[in-house]
Amino acid sequence: MLTHIRPVAAVTGALVLAASLTACGGSSAASDEKVVTVYSADGLKGEAGDGWYDKVFADFEKRTGIKVKYVEGGSGEMVQRALREKSNTQADVLVTLPPFIQQAGSKGLLQAYAPQGSDRVDGADKAADGTWTSIVNNYFGFIHNKKELPEAPTSWEELLDARYKDRLQYSTPGVAGDGTAVLIKAMHDFGGQAPAMEYLKKLQANNVGPSSSTSKLAPKVDKGELLVANGDVQMNFAQSKSMPNLGIWFPAKGNGKPTTFALPYAAGLVDKAPHAENGRKLLDFLLSEGAQREVSAVGGGFPARKDVKPTDANAVALAGLMEGVEVFEPDWADIDENLTAYVDAWKSATGS
């Protein structure tokens, strides 16, 4: 049985502008606009406009008259963009995965705000200083092509086999949240940085190469261009509705238990947000009971509020998927402090 431990944390991709940005940093005119700008890691917006974001943003606009302007990219990419714009803030709400949400907080990109409903979010899943809270819980995972590879691999070691040469890819650590998660899980499973880098150096012989977007790997797996790629449960479960060849699995070390860790989407109000009040309203809405009940049914994820316990078909399937998977808790403070060193070690080991 799954023991739920702290769902905490980028996901990836080239910038996608759903609308052009017109907000100006903090002017009174801007603050009166009926808009809110969201910078977010990918995964919650549907490929066909049928994702959780699509539903809740439409509901929010209908309820409040506030239009959501949406910008999507990798978790690290979104933090870097917000950092570059710090003197002329464009975003109102930032949504990203660990360790990038912690990074945003430590760089002063977020202001404290406890959304309505955040008191129902577990204490481990929100910042002690009130700068961010999880809105959708999630877990790191891998995917395989069920048609060409009916039985999912079971171990890291299996992926070193020659059958995976140029048929395996994972997103770039330090850029993509899920790519960074590959490092975190490997260091946990192999017992430290050195053995993890030794393994990833060997795996590089089969790796297609870098990818800034984790979400773009799923279509390649579905089509059979790749046999295996990294991802996360929420995003890949949602994608599997339109990509029937996707299967989700969790690597183990050797004959050990499959492992994973929580990788939630966490949201915060951006410091000096040009439409701060609208940002607060959106954060309240994302954590409302109604929106949280749709996390599984529409988005294929896990509610952040512990008092919301959906029983829809997706919720049942997700619980079954996590059955027997050991969930560990990363040391996010260490990762936040040493992320650059870990990514540099990976670059050195893999020649990336």
Side-chain angles (χ1 to χ4, degrees), residues 26 31 109 196 246 321:
S31 64
L109 294 177
L246 292 188
L321 183 66

Side-chain angles (χ1 to χ4, degrees), residues 212-234:
S212 63
S213 170
T214 311
S215 65
K216 290 182 179 178
L217 299 181
K220 295 181 181 180
V221 173
D222 182 60
K223 292 172 186 174
E225 295 173 26
L226 298 173
L227 292 177
V228 168
N230 68 314
D232 62 72
V233 173
Q234 177 278 324

Side-chain angles (χ1 to χ4, degrees), residues 334-352:
D334 170 75
I335 293 164
D336 183 34
E337 182 179 349
N338 297 299
L339 180 61
T340 299
Y342 294 147
V343 172
D344 286 346
W346 169 80
K347 288 178 180 177
S348 177
T350 60
S352 298

Side-chain angles (χ1 to χ4, degrees), residues 41 91 167 178 186 239 251 257 266 311 322 331:
R167 305 292 299 281
D178 289 327
Q239 288 172 318
K257 271 191 169 185
T311 57
M322 299 301 297
D331 184 344

Side-chain angles (χ1 to χ4, degrees), residues 96-115:
T96 184
L97 309 181
F100 297 98
I101 195 67
Q102 290 91 338
Q103 187 181 85
S106 65
K107 292 182 180 295
L109 294 177
L110 304 175
Q111 59 177 293
Y113 178 65

